[in-house]
Structures are given as structure tokens and as C-alpha cells.
Amino acid sequence: MQISDLPYPDPGVPDARSGPRFLWWLGRGQLGGQAKSLCWGLLHFGGVAGLPYTVGLGIDAVVNRDGSRLLWVGGLIALLGVAISVGDAMLHRTAVTNWITAAARVQQLLARKTAELGSALTQRVAAGEVVAVSTGDVEKIGWFVEAVSRFLAAALTLVIGCVVLLFYAPTIGVVVAVGMPVLALAVLPLLPRATRRADIQREKAGKATELASDTVAGLRVLRGIGGEELFLGRYREASQQVREAAVHSARMWALISAIQVLLPGALLVTVVWYGSALVLDGRLDVGELVAAFSAVATMLYPLRHFEEIAMAYSFSRPSAKRAARVLSLTRTGAQAEAGAEPEATAEPVVATEAVRAPASGGDLYDPETGLLVPAGRFTAVVCGDPDLAGRLAERLGGHPMDAAAGPSVLLGGVALDELALGTARELVLVQDKDPVLLSGTLRELFDVPASGAVVPSAALAAAQCADVLDALLQSAPDGVDDPMDARITERGRSLSGGQRQRLALARSLVTDPEVLVLDEPTSAVDSHTEARIAEGISALRSGRTTVVLASSPLLLDRADRVVLIHEGKAAASGTHRELLHGDPRYRAVVTRETEEEQRTAEEQRLPRLESVLTEIEESA
């Protein structure tokens, strides 16, 4: 795999049952790149490990005054130098390729999952956690994938080096062969504690990122209510906790690093002391002692990669766990909750070949609530609970927010959950309460998949966006005469809440889906504008299925049919005026009347009704 081949045509289906399983899946998917990196690493480390022996041979040649042998040793040293240089360069190249490839694969998987879940993603996972996974965690996961091949090359080099030294100088090779495993495994007892401290640091950093993300997102509101300093103070406190946790974690890693310096130094002292005694006894040549000492010194270089792989795994494991938690989410529910591992691989919910899209003109039916939306009609849904309305909107779109949401919504008798995600979204479009406007021109905003039956000008007119166009044109730089070429700032921050809401509504109208679900589309506009928007939606969507979840009388009065959802079930249906006069529960939600106010109104109406009846009887 080359970097130029990225992105992947298909990043694959990850094993998201746990963090370690996800890391294993990533590494298994890059066996070719890992093999290349391993080979170049063996060449590099092998060249480094071979230098001491050639130096020892050179010393023996000098002692024995063997010029031809010395010349041969010089050529061998030059060859090893080339091997070290080429191996190091290619090892770095292939290892970094593995890192970028793994990071790119994770980024693609996260992007695919974001597109699959849509707005439901941030309702299941905090936005700050999603940001942390897609930025810092991706780098740490890539670091571990990169470090694996270097570690394997270093481990094989140490084993080969010890074996060679046993044959080259058996008397001192035994000391090195026993000491090297001790050095490699000495820090293992400290790794669990270091891992726990790293986990705590990552957890606190994730919470600080979530707090920062939420604070930035609500900065305008916080400034309006004077809560900016309060949240800034909370973030300062959270960041200080992250700093303290990072220092606490760094102390443990510093101790591990110190041990990695102290013990090898002790081994070198032992080799020199014992080797010198062997030389004095005549059991070891000077060249062999120099070679043994140099071999131990050079083997300390690959030994450092044992510490690196331990650090990489400790830091990447919690990152992989968070990534696996996000990737395990499905359209029909969150399989993995905080602290729990998903029970199965998070395979995307895709349609089988047997499930076809329903024929045009089918009714929309929700078995959970009993809500029936006739095809081609403008249906309004009234829920007393705003959260229930949001969950119902998600259900009608085919991707409910929780696994216990009940059976799938049916469109024309076909379950939306069984359709391919792209097909389901072409049929049913859901606009939630807080639609997002991306930065760019207004023309780019309306460059969305659409049937082509509704032009942007008609949608803008139906959504009453004339003043929005004027505002964009006034703020546009000189030379921009067409409001469609005016730019919208990030998330439409330069516009008011009502203006953003109307632009989002116009964008939804342009797509012209078979079923359009709008959740409180006019909550941020005044009553006069709301009445005109209701007329515009009714006219533009004539003959198309439209569902509006709202409690505004102005919208409800324009609907062909109104359904009341009471205690999670469809309790009544009819026109707005029929339900207003005939159903106290509906009247309580729409008019905001309390039970006491309704009782008073009934008491006031009864005398008038009795008077009318008396007049009728007298006239008869």
C-alpha cells in the first residue's frame, strides 16, 4: 500500500468489539506494509549489530599484522554502513507509510459512520469525544501500527545477536544471553500502572475536549446570559486536571526510561569486568572482548524499541477503545455504551439484494406509536414532549436513537431499516431542530442531491428567505450582485437563528424527497412569517408526503390532517379545528392551557349553552 493509493476504495468492516481487537484488525489489514517495514528494519538493525564483530575482526587483523584481512574487514564495514543507511531510510519510509495508512483508514471509517448515523451520532456520543477520536486518537492508533514492525525487527535482531555472540565468544556470550531478556522484561511489572495512569490522562483529556467543544458551540448563548466566565473557569479547572494527570503519567514513564538506562549500564559494567578477567586469564582475546563490549552497546539501541512499543500500546489502547465504541454504533441503536464492549462486530446495516425500495406513493406508518401518514398529504404531529418529538422524527427517518425503539417504520409496507442507507435517505429526509449550515456560498448550500423538480428560488420563496438574501448581499464584498454567490460563514454564525432556520428549510425543500419530515421548522420565526411559511410549504409540497412535528396553531391549521401523540401513542386525529374543540388533551398542548384553565372555560361555556338551549325551546 502506497500513500498515493489513499483513500481506500473501501476501508472494510472493522472488528469493533474492543480496542485490542480493533488494533489487531488494523494490523492484519496491512500485512504487506508491515512485512516491508520488518525486512528493512532487519537490514538496519542487523547492520548496526554486525559492526562490533567486524571491528573485532579488524583489531585481530592489526594484532596479527594481517594486511589483506584488514582490507577485507574495511570493505565489510563499508558494506555494513551502506546497509545501515539504506535500511534506516527505508524503515522510516515504510513505517510512516504504515502509520499514515492506518490513520487514513480509521478516518475513513469514522467518516463513513458519521454519514451513516447523521445527527444521531452526537445524540449517542458527545461531540467532544467524536472530535477527540477523529484527531488525537487517530494519531495514537497510527503510532502503534507504525511501531509494531520496528519492535519485531528489534526483537529478532536481539535474538540473533545473542546467538551469534554465543558462538563468537561463548564464555562472555552466556552473560549477555542471560542479561538481555532481563533487560527486556524488567519494566513489565511497571507497565500496568503506567497504562492506568495513561488511561486516566486520556479520560480527563477527553472530558476537557468535550467541555471545550460544548462551550464553543454555545458561546453566543453563554455571553447572552453572562455564563461565559463560569464555563471558562470550568475549562481551566479541567485543563489543570489534565496537566496533573499528564505529569503523573510522565513520572511513571520517566521511571521506566531510567530503568532502561540503569540496567543496560549495569550489564555493560558486568561485561567489561568479567571480560577483563577472562583476558587476563588468557581465555578471551582482546578483539573478542572489544567485539563483545561493542555488541552489547549496540544491542541497547534496538532494546529501546521495547519501551516504545509499550508506550505506543498503552496510549493507543484507550484511543482504540473509543474509536471502536463509535464504530460499533448502528442505525438501529448503540451497541456499545460507555465502559461496555459491543457484543459483535459493528458491520454497517446494509440492505440485501431481496429488499427493494417501495413503490412511490406509499403511506408512512410507525408501528411503535401507531402514527399513519397518508401518502401525498400534509400531516402535522403534535407531541406534548419535545424529546418525544425528536425521537419520533429519528424513527420516521429510519434511524432511531436507541436500540429499544421498537419495530422499524414502514414506507409502502417496506421497513426502512432493511433498506440501504442511501435509498432510505433518498425516500425520507428528516430535518431536525438544529440543522447545520456549512460555510460556503448560498449556491453551494443548495448543491445537494435532489429530484430537480424544485428550484432554489421556489424553495427560498416558500421558506420566506427574501430578507435573508438581502442580508447576505449587503454583507457580500463588492462585485457580488447575485445573492446565490454570497458566502455563509461557518455554521451561519453571521445570521440570526430564524434566518438560519429558514435557509435550512429551503435546502430541505429543494431536495424534494418522497417524504419530508420537519421537526419544529419555524420555532425561531415570528408569527406572521410562520403563517406565510406554512402556506409556502403546503403549496410547494402539494401532492407530496410531508410530516411536520409542531405545536404552533398557524402550522397546524394549514395541515390536511393532525395527529395527537399522547403518552407515546397516536391518541386522536382530525383537522386542527376539530381537535381543538373536541379533544381537551390536544387543546392543552396547543393552547398551553392548564387543567384549571380548561375547567374554568368549560364552566363559562355551560351557562351560555344552557341559555341558547332555553331560547331554542321557547321559540319552538
Side-chain angles (χ1 to χ4, degrees):
M1 186 70 186
Q2 301 294 326
I3 295 177
S4 59
D5 298 329
L6 297 175
Y8 283 98
D10 180 11
V13 179
D15 185 349
R17 287 176 289 179
S18 67
R21 287 178 183 271
F22 180 60
L23 290 174
W24 171 252
W25 176 83
L26 276 176
R28 196 177 62 214
Q30 297 178 208
L31 291 179
Q34 295 286 359
K36 291 179 182 178
S37 186
L38 175 61
C39 291
W40 289 116
L42 287 174
L43 178 63
H44 172 63
F45 291 127
V48 173
L51 275 178
Y53 300 102
T54 55
V55 171
L57 293 175
I59 293 175
D60 288 338
V62 171
V63 171
N64 298 325
R65 300 181 182 276
D66 189 344
S68 61
R69 187 179 181 186
L70 183 61
L71 183 62
W72 178 81
V73 169
L76 184 58
I77 290 176
L79 183 62
L80 288 176
V82 173
I84 292 172
S85 300
V86 174
D88 188 27
M90 296 306 297
L91 172 61
H92 177 75
R93 180 185 179 91
T94 53
V96 171
T97 299
N98 290 336
W99 170 44
I100 295 177
T101 302
R105 188 194 290 267
V106 178
Q107 287 280 20
Q108 281 187 257
L109 291 170
L110 291 171
R112 186 176 69 181
K113 183 59 63 175
T114 302
E116 178 187 337
L117 296 177
S119 61
L121 175 62
T122 53
Q123 293 166 344
R124 299 177 186 177
V125 182
E129 182 172 350
V130 177
V131 173
V133 170
S134 60
T135 52
D137 287 340
V138 167
E139 293 185 4
K140 292 177 178 62
I141 292 171
W143 176 30
F144 175 74
V145 174
E146 172 202 6
V148 167
S149 55
R150 282 205 305 270
F151 163 71
L152 292 176
L156 288 175
T157 302
L158 284 176
V159 173
I160 295 173
C162 290
V163 172
V164 171
L165 191 58
L166 280 173
F167 284 96
Y168 181 79
T171 52
I172 201 168
V174 174
V175 177
V176 177
V178 173
M180 279 297 171
V182 174
L183 296 183
L185 303 177
V187 297
L188 283 182
L190 300 177
L191 288 181
R193 183 178 298 179
T195 302
R196 285 195 299 271
R197 293 189 179 184
D199 289 347
I200 293 174
Q201 178 192 350
R202 291 287 168 262
E203 180 183 355
K204 291 183 179 297
K207 291 181 178 179
T209 303
E210 292 175 22
L211 180 60
S213 177
D214 294 341
T215 302
V216 172
L219 193 57
R220 173 180 287 186
V221 177
L222 290 175
R223 286 175 175 171
I225 62 176
E228 181 180 3
E229 288 300 325
L230 174 63
F231 274 79
L232 288 177
R234 291 181 179 177
Y235 180 73
R236 291 191 190 99
E237 181 180 353
S239 65
Q240 288 302 312
Q241 292 178 358
V242 174
R243 182 189 61 81
E244 293 173 1
V247 171
H248 199 54
S249 177
R251 287 173 179 168
M252 182 56 65
W253 289 111
L255 176 60
I256 292 175
S257 298
I259 292 175
Q260 291 289 309
V261 173
L262 177 63
L263 293 183
L267 179 61
L268 282 175
V269 172
T270 302
V271 168
V272 172
W273 173 78
Y274 182 60
S276 300
L278 293 176
V279 170
L280 293 176
D281 291 343
R283 297 165 57 188
L284 189 69
D285 294 335
V286 175
E288 291 177 338
L289 175 61
V290 173
F293 174 80
S294 302
V296 174
T298 54
M299 279 193 287
L300 299 181
Y301 166 57
L303 188 65
R304 291 204 299 267
H305 289 81
F306 283 73
E307 178 188 355
E308 183 195 15
I309 195 66
M311 291 184 65
Y313 181 73
S314 298
F315 280 89
S316 65
R317 188 178 62 83
S319 297
K321 182 179 180 181
R322 280 196 293 269
R325 178 172 180 262
V326 175
L327 294 175
S328 67
L329 300 175
T330 64
R331 288 172 58 195
T332 55
Q335 290 179 341
E337 298 297 334
E341 295 183 350
E343 297 179 356
T345 57
E347 299 188 12
V349 180
V350 297
T352 62
E353 293 294 333
V355 180
R356 297 183 179 179
S360 179
D363 294 341
L364 186 67
Y365 176 66
D366 178 20
E368 179 69 15
T369 60
L371 171 65
L372 175 64
V373 179
R377 304 286 296 279
F378 181 4
T379 302
V381 179
V382 176
C383 299
D385 183 3
D387 294 333
L388 175 60
R391 293 193 296 270
L392 179 57
E394 293 290 339
R395 282 186 53 77
L396 294 178
H399 36 84
M401 291 182 287
D402 56 83
S408 172
V409 170
L410 307 177
L411 178 60
V414 178
L416 289 179
D417 283 353
E418 297 178 1
L419 296 174
L421 180 62
T423 303
R425 286 184 173 168
E426 288 176 2
L427 295 172
V428 183
L429 174 66
V430 178
Q431 177 181 303
D432 59 18
K433 295 178 182 178
D434 301 308
V436 176
L437 300 180
L438 301 178
S439 59
T441 64
L442 194 58
R443 196 181 308 279
E444 293 170 341
L445 178 67
F446 287 97
D447 186 16
V448 293
S451 67
V454 179
V455 297
S457 58
L460 289 166
Q464 301 298 310
C465 294
D467 63 314
V468 185
L469 299 180
D470 293 338
L472 289 174
L473 200 56
Q474 290 176 3
S475 60
D478 296 338
V480 177
D481 300 325
D482 188 348
M484 297 298 292
D485 294 326
R487 295 194 64 82
I488 301 172
T489 57
E490 180 190 4
R491 301 180 69 91
R493 297 189 189 279
S494 60
L495 303 173
S496 68
Q499 290 174 329
R500 290 196 299 270
Q501 192 174 59
R502 282 177 282 160
L503 280 180
L505 174 60
R507 179 181 58 186
S508 299
L509 293 174
V510 162
T511 60
D512 189 39
E514 182 173 335
V515 179
L516 177 60
V517 181
L518 305 172
D519 187 7
E520 294 288 355
T522 58
S523 59
V525 301
D526 59 82
S527 57
H528 298 288
T529 306
E530 185 177 32
R532 293 195 296 268
I533 290 176
E535 294 176 1
I537 294 175
S538 179
L540 193 64
R541 294 285 300 172
S542 178
R544 305 288 274 170
T545 306
T546 306
V547 183
V548 177
L549 291 98
S551 58
S552 168
L554 295 172
L555 275 175
L556 300 175
D557 195 41
R558 297 296 303 180
D560 301 324
R561 183 169 178 266
V562 181
V563 179
L564 171 66
I565 304 295
H566 182 68
E567 296 182 352
K569 299 295 181 182
S573 62
T575 66
H576 167 63
R577 298 177 188 273
E578 291 171 352
L579 293 176
L580 190 63
H581 294 293
D583 195 311
R585 298 168 300 182
Y586 178 84
R587 187 166 59 250
V589 175
V590 174
T591 63
R592 307 293 195 272
E593 287 184 353
T594 63
E595 294 183 1
E596 183 65 28
E597 290 172 338
Q598 290 186 35
R599 192 179 302 110
T600 302
E602 285 293 334
E603 291 174 355
Q604 292 175 350
R605 280 196 293 270
L606 283 175
R608 291 199 298 270
L609 180 60
E610 292 174 355
S611 176
V612 171
L613 292 175
T614 301
E615 292 178 0
I616 293 174
E617 291 175 356
E618 290 177 353
S619 62

